[in-house]
Amino acid sequence: MKKITLLGLMAALPINTLAAETLATPNLDEVVVTASRTSQSTKTVTGDITVIDSEEINRLQGGSLADLLRLQPGVQSYSNGGMGTSSNITLRGTNDNQLIVLVDGVRINSGTTGTTAFENIPLALIDRIEILRSPASSLYGSDAIGGVIQIFTKRGSGNKTHIYGTVGAGSYDTYTGNAGIDTTYKALKLGAQISSYDTRGISAKKHPPLNVDKDRDGYQNFSGSAYANLEFAPGHTLGLNYLESDGRSEYDNGYVGNHQNRYQQGYGVTLKNALTERWKSTLQYNNGRDQSYTVSAATGATANSNIETEQHQISWQHDYQLSNGTIMFAYDRLEQDVLTKTIGRQTLDRGRSNDAFVLGYTGNFDNHSAQLSLREDHNSQFGNYTTGGLGYGYALTPAWRVTAQYGSSFRAPTFNQLYAVNFGNPNLAAEKADNLEASLRYQGEALQAKVTLFDNHIRNFIQTLTSGCPVGFPNCAVNAGKIEIQGVTFESSLVLNESWLLSGNLTVQSPRVDGTDNLLVRRAQRYGNLVLQYKTGDWNWTTELTASSQRYNDAANRLALGGYALLNSTLGYQLNQNWRLQARANNILDKDYVLAAVNSTVDYNTMGANVFFSLNYDMH
């Protein structure tokens, strides 16, 4: 009861005893690169894009990347238990494997599952995130049916040495720490950071059938990133970047000691050359590695399995600046290899490659903005695919703008969907999609608002069935036919005065299978967020309300997962120029809710009311 009382006080705490300090208003003209693969103002982007800045990331210290993403428009998440368990992200009702995730340009989707281990990427390493919600295969190739999430790790700015770090502790015996440094030596800029996370966690399953599964399932993660950029001549730079994350999560499966190790590694080399005043070349080589090592502990025996995916990526992009826009031409190559090791035996199971040529244009003239993209992919397994995108925007007034966009996309089945034992189907066809969307936007000094309508038609949609599978297959992958996802997203932010900012978003959608009219698994038809921020003097306070309607845990729509609403709050105090103290409370009302279920009797657990305290140091 005392804990709930403390959390409630944090949520209701409006501090107004100090002299007011102006609250930072939303940036109306940010520069993004994900929407077109070239630098572009958010005011002229025709696609549906969101930027998450470092301030918003810092508010969720002690939380996960999935917690942060589900506060954004059109984003849903679900997990198989507490911290460290598998976290899945969906954009506008699409599948979690119909999404490309980049970290500093490195593709980190698993080649076996097609999903991304969001649970293994700590917020402490992240400086900024760009979310593109719309098909983007004409820019990025296979998998971008739902969109692209691009994560940028922390980088120093300016020529001063920057040292920073955080220590934190919270509920469920959770302890974190991270430290980093950025510095400059003549024409060389470099930096590095490390992050550690340790929690005893909660039981992954709620009401499990075995007493042994009622134990707490802990999670440990150790991660680091580094970069270096050398400007060896004016307009010519060579950059290196590296990311590594090693996580160990325990899970329930009838025996004490069951755990999964998930290892991610990504590194890249980038050469940028200003060939002329208008013509720039960017040559990149990136390598992404994803390894999953599972240990099932049984009486007198241990069965281990090791699955590893490597993705080699080469991209050579040319940008030519025109008087009213930019022409982009690129060549991309992606090589995917899957390695399996079971009890000492190691084999290269599968591999494939994809070559592509991309042509794009972004332009602005008078009140008009336009974006065009065309891509030809040749996949060594599935042949040729041509995808395109066309976007147009018109400024009705300096504050009002309308946009319309079309995009086609495709996704080659993952290696698991094709070849996994007692699951895979080598006869699967690639998914194809066509998306139409339109938006009305208002950008004033105090008020920003956007309404986006979307209609995404997906053909050859690949779905996991639990019945009607071949003999010996507990579940199987099949092309389920056509999917139509219609919906609308509302977003707005309002500066109430110098101290108060109110923002929110709401998504209403209908992601259904045409043949059965059933909703897709674990997709809500209505979900959204409301955020209230307050700042005065050295204090700042934020409260978030997150809500979702009912979802179904199965393709037949027989197992319903109830709707829920969560209340979270953050309170921060700037001790001095370098030190900051912050407290965060999650699920303040101690809501008992479910994001995913094992079956009709066993649910995956979620965390109750909890708190997290952190002390931050930042010296420029």
Side-chain angles (χ1 to χ4, degrees):
M1 179 62 70
K2 290 183 179 179
K3 180 171 71 171
I4 302 301
T5 302
L6 172 63
L7 299 180
L9 286 173
M10 283 187 62
L13 187 63
I15 303 169
N16 49 26
T17 58
L18 303 178
E21 179 178 304
T22 301
L23 186 69
T25 57
N27 191 341
L28 301 179
D29 193 14
E30 294 186 88
V31 175
V32 295
V33 296
T34 308
S36 61
R37 292 182 52 159
T38 60
S39 298
Q40 190 178 6
S41 166
T42 52
K43 293 185 70 173
T44 60
V45 168
T46 60
D48 187 11
I49 195 163
T50 293
V51 177
I52 308 176
D53 60 20
S54 58
E55 182 178 342
E56 186 172 358
I57 295 170
N58 291 335
R59 284 207 312 266
L60 269 80
Q61 287 183 13
S64 68
L65 177 54
D67 294 333
L68 173 68
L69 292 174
R70 71 176 174 181
L71 290 172
Q72 313 310 316
V75 181
Q76 288 181 278
S77 72
Y78 60 90
S79 60
N80 297 341
M83 292 295 291
T85 57
S86 176
S87 296
N88 304 84
I89 299 296
T90 71
L91 295 184
R92 287 184 177 175
T94 55
N95 269 353
D96 51 1
N97 54 20
Q98 295 172 332
L99 164 69
I100 288 179
V101 181
L102 307 172
V103 176
D104 294 328
V106 182
R107 184 175 177 136
I108 62 169
N109 301 65
S110 169
T112 51
T113 66
T115 61
T116 299
F118 289 98
E119 67 277 3
N120 243 28
I121 307 174
L123 289 178
L125 301 183
I126 301 173
D127 180 64
R128 172 186 171 94
I129 301 173
E130 295 178 6
I131 304 174
L132 177 63
R133 291 176 298 272
S134 57
S137 286
S138 59
L139 291 169
Y140 295 94
S142 176
D143 301 342
I145 287 179
V148 177
I149 296 178
Q150 184 152 203
I151 298 169
F152 301 90
T153 57
K154 291 182 177 179
R155 301 287 177 97
S157 60
N159 296 320
K160 293 183 179 180
T161 297
H162 179 206
I163 300 174
Y164 54 93
T166 301
V167 291
S171 304
Y172 307 113
D173 301 306
T174 299
Y175 302 95
T176 70
N178 70 278
I181 182 172
D182 303 296
T183 191
T184 300
Y185 177 72
K186 296 183 178 180
L188 177 65
K189 293 184 178 181
L190 66 162
Q193 58 178 324
I194 56 173
S195 171
S196 175
Y197 187 98
D198 191 299
T199 182
R200 282 192 64 197
I202 59 177
S203 177
K205 293 178 181 176
K206 187 181 297 184
H207 312 303
L210 300 174
N211 287 332
V212 71
D213 285 346
K214 295 179 180 179
D215 64 323
R216 294 170 67 176
D217 298 306
Y219 173 62
Q220 299 85 41
N221 179 279
F222 187 79
S223 303
S225 66
Y227 72 92
N229 287 297
L230 174 66
E231 186 176 19
F232 54 89
H236 301 269
T237 61
L238 179 65
L240 306 173
N241 59 277
Y242 181 82
L243 171 73
E244 183 173 318
S245 178
D246 192 0
R248 181 185 187 274
S249 58
E250 298 174 355
Y251 64 93
D252 290 330
N253 196 22
Y255 298 97
V256 175
N258 292 333
H259 65 271
Q260 181 183 55
N261 284 50
R262 190 72 181 265
Y263 177 80
Q264 288 174 291
Q265 181 190 67
Y267 59 86
V269 182
T270 303
L271 177 64
K272 294 185 177 181
N273 302 101
L275 303 178
T276 68
E277 186 177 345
R278 291 176 173 268
W279 182 11
K280 295 181 180 179
S281 167
T282 302
L283 179 62
Q284 290 181 300
Y285 170 76
N286 297 317
N287 186 81
R289 181 181 168 209
D290 177 270
Q291 185 179 29
S292 177
Y293 179 78
T294 303
V295 175
S296 295
T299 304
T302 301
N304 300 333
S305 64
N306 185 335
I307 299 176
E308 180 179 336
T309 301
E310 282 202 50
Q311 302 190 82
H312 308 277
Q313 309 152 62
I314 299 174
S315 176
W316 193 10
Q317 179 171 320
H318 295 264
D319 302 324
Y320 190 81
Q321 189 71 40
L322 305 174
S323 58
N324 58 359
T326 302
I327 291 179
M328 181 270 293
F329 175 77
Y331 165 74
D332 294 338
R333 179 174 174 82
L334 174 65
E335 299 175 357
Q336 296 177 309
D337 293 320
V338 177
L339 187 72
T340 300
K341 181 178 180 181
T342 303
I343 316 179
R345 293 184 296 105
Q346 185 166 295
T347 58
L348 176 62
D349 281 350
R350 301 288 175 178
R352 66 186 177 198
S353 63
N354 193 97
D355 293 280
F357 293 93
V358 191
L359 180 64
Y361 168 78
T362 56
N364 301 287
F365 37 95
D366 297 329
N367 296 326
H368 307 269
S369 59
Q371 180 176 332
L372 296 88
S373 55
L374 183 67
R375 180 178 174 118
E376 177 72 17
D377 283 89
H378 175 73
N379 187 284
S380 60
Q381 280 187 307
F382 292 92
N384 294 340
Y385 288 90
T386 301
T387 53
L390 174 63
Y392 172 74
Y394 181 72
L396 302 170
T397 70
W400 289 93
R401 175 178 290 269
V402 293
T403 70
Q405 182 151 312
Y406 163 80
S408 60
S409 55
F410 82 101
R411 187 182 76 86
T414 66
F415 288 106
N416 273 6
Q417 291 174 333
L418 291 168
Y419 308 115
V421 177
N422 296 333
F423 173 76
N425 179 359
N427 297 317
L428 289 173
E431 297 175 330
K432 300 178 182 180
D434 293 281
N435 179 79
L436 285 171
E437 63 186 72
S439 74
L440 176 63
R441 310 174 185 182
Y442 178 83
Q443 291 187 319
E445 289 299 323
L447 174 66
Q448 295 186 60
K450 181 168 73 171
V451 180
T452 304
L453 298 166
F454 56 90
D455 189 357
N456 199 357
H457 292 254
I458 306 173
R459 304 180 300 280
N460 299 329
F461 184 80
I462 300 174
Q463 195 168 21
T464 298
L465 298 185
T466 57
S467 61
C469 298
V471 176
F473 283 50
N475 45 51
C476 54
V478 298
N479 288 114
K482 295 181 180 179
I483 300 293
E484 183 172 11
I485 306 176
Q486 295 179 323
V488 57
T489 299
F490 304 91
E491 308 170 51
S492 70
S493 64
L494 175 63
V495 179
L496 301 174
N497 57 37
E498 291 183 341
S499 297
W500 292 92
L501 174 65
L502 178 65
S503 60
N505 60 77
L506 171 66
T507 300
V508 180
Q509 63 182 23
S510 179
R512 296 183 179 274
V513 180
D514 279 1
T516 63
D517 202 37
N518 288 340
L519 290 170
L520 295 182
V521 173
R522 297 171 183 168
R523 310 296 203 283
Q525 292 182 275
R526 298 173 302 280
Y527 54 96
N529 304 276
L530 190 64
V531 180
L532 180 63
Q533 300 179 57
Y534 179 74
K535 182 175 179 61
T536 181
D538 293 322
W539 293 87
N540 65 78
W541 166 76
T542 302
T543 287
E544 307 152 2
L545 178 64
T546 298
S548 173
S549 66
Q550 175 181 278
R551 293 136 291 122
Y552 291 97
N553 195 68
D554 60 329
N557 286 188
R558 295 191 179 97
L559 178 55
L561 306 175
Y564 63 90
L566 305 178
L567 183 65
N568 309 316
S569 187
T570 300
L571 177 65
Y573 179 68
Q574 193 71 36
L575 299 171
N576 56 38
Q577 183 179 358
N578 303 121
W579 293 92
R580 171 181 168 81
L581 185 64
Q582 180 170 294
R584 178 165 176 85
N586 298 299
N587 195 5
I588 291 172
L589 302 179
D590 203 25
K591 174 69 175 178
D592 184 8
Y593 66 105
V594 175
L595 295 176
V598 182
N599 49 45
S600 59
T601 59
V602 180
D603 300 327
Y604 285 112
N605 215 349
T606 53
M607 291 188 288
N610 62 92
V611 294
F612 185 82
F613 300 92
S614 59
L615 180 63
N616 307 274
Y617 177 78
D618 196 322
M619 185 200 76
H620 287 274

